[in-house]
Amino acid sequence: ATMLSAAGYRSGAAGALRRGRPRLGRTPLQGQGGGRHLSTTDKLVTATDTSCDEDNNKNEIPTENTNNYATPPLSPTTSDYVTAALDLSKARLSALVVVTTGAGFLTAGGPLSYATLAAATAGTALCSSSASTLNQIFEVDRDKRMKRTRNRPLVRGIVTPQTATALAATTGISGGSILALGTDPVTAALGVGNIALYAGLYTYLKPRSEINTWVGAVVGAVPPVMGWTAATGGSLFDLEAALLGSTLFLWQFPHFFALSWMHRTDYARGGFQMVPVNDIDTNGDRTAALINRYTWYMSTIPIASSVLGATSSMFAVEGIVLNAYALYVAKRFDKERSNSNARKVFLTSLWYLPCLMTLFILHSRRWRNTIEEDEQTELEDNDVVAILRRRLSQIRNAGRELCLHEILAIAEADENDQSDAKSKEEKCPVVLGKSKVTEVGAATVVVAATAVTAEGMQRGTK
């Protein structure tokens, strides 16, 4: 039987070599000590993850790859390197960064410079790629322990740390240069600074403190601000820039806490200090509370932007619908801390952000003013920006027909009053409520000032 087994092994190995690939089945024992000849893939397997079939010889490696590692190619092709570069750059995350940067740029209205927009999005994407690559270089040992990350290129050996470092340097330098040459110094400084913040402080804090999540939220809030500064020539302290950055900052907490709750065991295996990792003993009380709290904070953005005059009042109304569902799924997770409910929070966050950003642009006061200017200057019909602005104007007009003041107040108004645009505006419940809030605020200031003056006069008399 031993001779037949040996003959079968030699025959199988020879056939595998003729086909140009190694045999991945059982390997012969080495010496009397029962040592095993491990393949490159098997060497990456930690002792706690290794499992063998009890019915087989305990000294033999199972034929099936029980650890879900993807076998590294013997001779990587150009396609393998391209895939590795995309994985190192975290292409999907970089795509989200590009979208938020573009949204920040478009929020500024016009005039729109296509060259500046291209430079802002490309430069931001390259900076994001550099930061992600550096992060994986620093965390390669921890990535080996996690199921989510142990198939990354550095873990599998597709690329060397030296190659990854060269990629990070190339994308970082080129991204910063594109931003500096194609936009303005403020946008370039934000891009380069975000590389340092993500690959430096955020990566350093991940295995040491839960505050890493808040630092990471700052990193995510920077790209839309970069889009705004690129469009406005470096206006960093505008109201819209603060609203855009706040939206991305607050959005990341329910998004990431839901994700890290689903993968809390994996993050614990990697040694990362995440709130859900340290919240298992209390069955997710802190995680649920933070998801609910930041979802409530996030729901104030449409109201604040409308009250402060950055958007029209309809943004606050439409925001109620989005935030009502976001609060609903957050409340469900609070009642039952299951992975299923956490996944609903996570999936909701994926469509919530683009919807909110689109509505922000749609109801932006700057876009409304720019459309009025375009109507006066009569831009050419084939101008892409003019077409986009006219389309936004059509959407607004269609939405206005569904407004409460169009359905209720205007229907009851006299025919002569229907032609009065100001009368329509004053009958709008949203605008009326906003004006009342402003009046109450002004009255409060007057009363407070009068009280302070009176108190001062009394003290002066005494």
Side-chain angles (χ1 to χ4, degrees):
T2 302
M3 292 174 63
L4 289 174
S5 298
Y9 175 81
R10 288 193 296 269
S11 175
L17 290 174
R18 285 194 299 271
R19 291 189 296 271
R21 60 178 182 272
R23 189 170 189 264
L24 297 179
R26 299 173 181 173
T27 59
L29 305 181
Q30 294 181 333
Q32 298 297 325
R36 294 177 294 176
H37 177 69
L38 300 180
S39 66
T40 304
T41 302
D42 296 319
K43 289 179 181 178
L44 299 178
V45 181
T46 59
T48 56
D49 289 333
T50 304
S51 61
C52 297
D53 189 348
E54 293 296 332
D55 295 334
N56 294 333
N57 189 319
K58 293 183 178 180
N59 291 319
E60 294 176 340
I61 300 175
T63 302
E64 182 182 2
N65 186 352
T66 59
N67 296 282
N68 297 324
Y69 278 96
T71 304
L74 294 177
S75 181
T77 63
T78 302
S79 177
D80 293 326
Y81 285 122
V82 171
T83 302
L86 292 175
D87 290 341
L88 287 171
S89 301
K90 297 182 181 177
R92 287 182 293 182
L93 177 61
S94 296
L96 175 62
V97 168
V98 169
V99 170
T100 56
T101 303
F105 193 98
L106 292 175
T107 304
L112 183 64
S113 171
Y114 299 108
T116 306
L117 175 60
T121 53
T124 306
L126 289 170
C127 289
S128 174
S129 170
S130 177
S132 299
T133 303
L134 289 172
N135 172 263
Q136 293 185 54
I137 293 173
F138 298 145
E139 292 183 349
V140 63
D141 291 333
R142 296 182 183 276
D143 286 345
K144 294 177 182 178
R145 309 175 195 171
M146 299 176 61
K147 292 182 179 179
R148 293 180 63 246
T149 57
R150 62 187 180 185
N151 282 326
R152 285 179 171 175
L154 284 170
V155 177
R156 294 177 55 201
I158 300 295
V159 295
T160 64
Q162 292 77 13
T163 303
T165 302
L167 174 65
T170 302
T171 53
I173 294 173
S174 58
S177 300
I178 290 174
L179 291 174
L181 297 174
T183 60
D184 57 86
V186 174
T187 306
L190 288 173
V192 175
N194 228 23
I195 297 176
L197 189 60
Y198 184 84
L201 184 60
Y202 171 68
T203 301
Y204 173 81
L205 288 174
K206 283 177 70 177
R208 293 173 174 83
S209 173
E210 293 178 353
I211 201 174
N212 73 82
T213 303
W214 280 260
V215 175
V218 174
V219 174
V222 170
V225 178
M226 292 175 61
W228 176 268
T229 57
T232 58
S235 299
L236 182 60
F237 300 104
D238 289 341
L239 173 62
E240 290 85 351
L243 291 171
L244 289 168
S246 299
T247 300
L248 266 293
F249 179 80
L250 297 173
W251 170 83
Q252 289 175 88
F253 291 101
H255 171 81
F256 181 74
F257 284 138
L259 175 67
S260 54
W261 176 261
M262 290 187 291
H263 300 284
R264 57 193 180 278
T265 303
D266 216 15
Y267 278 111
R269 186 183 291 112
F272 293 116
Q273 294 296 316
M274 304 298 176
V275 171
V277 172
N278 302 325
D279 199 23
I280 297 178
D281 294 338
T282 58
N283 193 31
D285 288 347
R286 292 173 57 216
T287 304
L290 287 168
I291 289 176
N292 272 280
R293 182 186 309 168
Y294 280 96
T295 303
W296 275 108
Y297 292 163
M298 189 169 57
S299 66
T300 64
I301 295 293
I303 299 173
S305 62
S306 298
V307 171
L308 295 173
T311 61
S312 66
S313 301
M314 284 307 299
F315 182 46
V317 176
E318 294 166 353
I320 293 174
V321 179
L322 290 178
N323 290 306
Y325 187 78
L327 290 167
Y328 167 73
V329 294
K331 193 65 176 178
R332 286 194 60 180
F333 177 76
D334 187 24
K335 291 182 178 180
E336 183 182 354
R337 285 79 180 269
S338 63
N339 283 352
S340 175
N341 285 336
R343 186 174 293 106
K344 291 177 182 178
V345 175
F346 177 76
L347 294 176
T348 298
S349 69
L350 294 181
W351 59 259
Y352 174 94
L353 182 62
C355 288
L356 190 70
M357 298 294 284
T358 301
L359 291 175
F360 190 97
I361 297 173
L362 179 65
H363 297 293
S364 172
R365 292 289 187 186
R366 291 189 177 245
W367 271 95
R368 183 186 298 274
N369 295 337
T370 307
I371 290 174
E372 294 175 356
E373 293 175 359
D374 289 346
E375 292 175 352
Q376 295 175 1
T377 56
E378 297 182 356
L379 290 178
E380 297 180 3
D381 292 338
N382 59 353
D383 186 275
V384 177
V385 180
I387 294 174
L388 178 60
R389 288 169 184 160
R390 284 195 293 270
R391 179 62 63 183
L392 289 176
S393 180
Q394 293 172 1
I395 295 174
R396 287 199 190 100
N397 292 333
R400 190 176 293 115
E401 296 177 359
L402 302 176
C403 182
L404 292 176
H405 84 273
E406 293 286 351
I407 298 175
L408 299 177
I410 302 303
E412 297 174 359
D414 296 333
E415 294 182 359
N416 296 331
D417 293 337
Q418 289 181 7
S419 60
D420 188 358
K422 184 176 181 181
S423 176
K424 292 182 180 181
E425 187 73 11
E426 290 176 350
K427 290 182 174 63
C428 177
V430 178
V431 176
L432 183 62
K434 180 179 175 181
S435 63
K436 292 301 181 183
V437 170
T438 305
E439 292 175 4
V440 170
T444 303
V445 172
V446 172
V447 171
T450 303
V452 171
T453 303
E455 183 179 357
M457 294 178 64
Q458 291 177 359
R459 289 183 178 180
T461 303
K462 292 180 180 179

